Amino acid sequence: MAKSEKYAVGVDLGGTNIKVGIVSESGRIISKTSVKTEAMSGPKVVIKNIKKGINEILKNNKRKISGIGIGAPGIVSTKKGTVQNPPNLPGWDEIELGAIIKKEFGLKVNVENDANAAAIGELIFGAGKKFESFVMVTLGTGVGGGIVFNHKIFRGEIGGAGEIGHVCIDPNGPRCNCGSTGCIEAYAGNHYIKESVKKDLHNHPSSKIWELIENDLEKVSPRVIQMAAELGDVYAKEFIHDLGIKLGVAFTSISNVLDISTFIIGGGVAGFGSPLFTTIKSTMVSRVLTPLKHRIKIVPAKLKNEAGILGASALVFYNT
Ligand SMILES: [Zn+2]
């Protein structure tokens, strides 16, 4: 470890938990903590909890901190440090989060959209290191996306770029949280996966999923589907295959538009692993425009659970 190594505080602002960590410039997590977001109590309480988490992590810290990086949901202006309408944090119209945290701690603060922060984390510390350009897709409660082009995040006009979850694959498809229909998030979001299997499972009485959930449909989860597939369950395997086709169709459009051929996939649903990745790739290869065909790469994310903290801290060290 270099003596001159720098340290930052990374804050991953989620709808349920706020994860905070001290991270070195090389991506080593020195310490971490987690506090409840209490999103339903509104922005004042959430901001108080962010401060609480940072105070907790700084309490016994003797290292010099270069700054604080925050990954937040919603549309983030990286210049102004504002967070606008985060979907899982009710009551946040537009909050000057950067300025508020800077005033409290007297440190440089960088705020970025959480999906972009995850992409930056993979770019600096993870699976994105060896690529100049890639699309980062996080398959979780929602479907998040971050576009990296020539080592830089592509942010669009107001910081809203990369909303891959809302690429439509069927205008007559299920309703999406965003108000539209047939968005890829309405197929691949955690909640949709659960609901769709719950509805469908009665048509598959011999599925191993029944045993795994002890006949309690409330226990259906992506993890259970994965376990059933690993046991060779035909229905679970078909479900993952079908999801791979849908994601592949959505990613094909993105690849054709951007001329970017590498997709890094993270989040809980990425746990479906190689059966999912193989189907995404074969679907894309059969559909993308010819010059892209031999270049398509589907790569698992490397940072897993700490992606949020690492991505947020990277904001302090690297100007992307
Ligand atoms: Zn949508």
Side-chain angles (χ1 to χ4, degrees):
M1 183 187 76
K3 265 185 207 155
S4 59
E5 199 166 25
K6 290 182 180 140
Y7 300 90
V9 172
V11 180
D12 176 15
L13 173 55
T16 313
N17 294 301
I18 302 165
K19 296 181 191 163
V20 186
I22 294 179
V23 182
S24 79
E25 200 176 7
S26 62
R28 214 159 36 90
I29 296 178
I30 308 298
S31 59
K32 58 179 180 174
T33 186
S34 175
V35 294
K36 289 264 167 270
T37 310
E38 299 182 275
M40 292 305 162
S41 307
K44 268 194 182 149
V45 173
V46 174
I47 290 166
K48 194 189 81 194
N49 288 333
I50 296 172
K51 290 177 182 172
K52 185 176 141 193
I54 298 173
N55 273 315
E56 224 168 78
I57 206 83
L58 289 176
K59 201 166 54 190
N60 296 313
N61 170 60
K62 297 203 169 59
R63 295 175 166 90
K64 188 177 173 337
I65 301 293
S66 305
I68 299 171
I70 305 175
I75 293 177
V76 174
S77 161
T78 50
K79 282 199 187 93
K80 295 188 284 183
T82 54
V83 179
Q84 221 180 313
N85 303 112
N88 299 321
L89 302 176
W92 287 53
D93 296 329
E94 186 170 10
I95 304 257
E96 295 184 332
L97 187 61
I100 293 168
I101 300 301
K102 187 175 179 212
K103 192 173 166 219
E104 179 83 8
F105 296 96
L107 289 163
K108 175 179 98 154
V109 178
N110 296 80
V111 190
E112 175 61 276
N113 167 271
D114 51 4
N116 285 348
I120 293 167
E122 290 294 335
L123 173 70
I124 306 297
F125 303 127
K129 267 192 205 172
K130 54 176 185 263
F131 301 106
E132 277 175 19
S133 305
F134 63 85
V135 177
M136 169 81 203
V137 184
T138 306
L139 301 173
T141 310
V143 175
I147 300 163
V148 174
F149 180 65
N150 275 344
H151 298 283
K152 296 266 185 202
I153 288 282
F154 174 79
R155 293 189 173 84
E157 293 182 355
I158 59 162
E163 290 288 353
I164 285 153
H166 305 288
V167 169
C168 177
I169 59 165
D170 178 5
N172 301 313
R175 185 153 289 280
C176 176
N177 268 337
C178 74
S180 185
T181 53
C183 299
I184 190 64
E185 181 164 305
Y187 297 96
N190 241 324
H191 178 71
Y192 177 83
I193 290 177
K194 217 177 138 167
E195 288 308 310
S196 139
V197 171
K198 272 165 73 176
K199 250 186 245 157
D200 214 18
L201 204 55
H202 288 291
N203 300 323
H204 304 274
S206 61
S207 169
K208 291 193 168 64
I209 295 177
W210 284 112
E211 270 167 62
L212 292 166
I213 60 173
E214 295 162 316
N215 295 324
D216 176 1
L217 283 173
E218 287 312 306
K219 290 186 183 163
V220 169
S221 70
R223 178 83 188 110
V224 165
I225 301 165
Q226 183 191 333
M227 284 159 72
E230 282 163 7
L231 293 169
D233 186 64
V234 175
Y235 169 67
K237 289 206 296 200
E238 266 170 16
F239 183 89
I240 294 172
H241 181 68
D242 185 54
L243 184 64
I245 292 174
K246 291 188 165 81
L247 288 165
V249 167
F251 295 178
T252 296
S253 300
I254 296 162
S255 204
N256 283 341
V257 170
L258 297 175
D259 181 27
I260 295 179
S261 54
T262 302
F263 286 69
I264 298 179
I265 321 284
V269 176
F272 288 157
S274 77
L276 179 71
F277 290 15
T278 309
T279 310
I280 293 175
K281 184 172 176 182
S282 60
T283 305
M284 288 185 75
V285 169
S286 72
R287 285 172 174 266
V288 283
L289 296 171
T290 305
L292 281 155
K293 280 192 194 296
H294 67 281
R295 290 158 45 209
I296 296 298
K297 284 189 194 70
I298 307 297
V299 182
K302 209 172 158 188
L303 302 184
K304 316 283 177 215
N305 289 337
E306 267 76 43
I309 291 177
L310 287 163
S313 67
L315 304 172
V316 175
F317 301 128
Y318 301 92
N319 178 22
T320 56

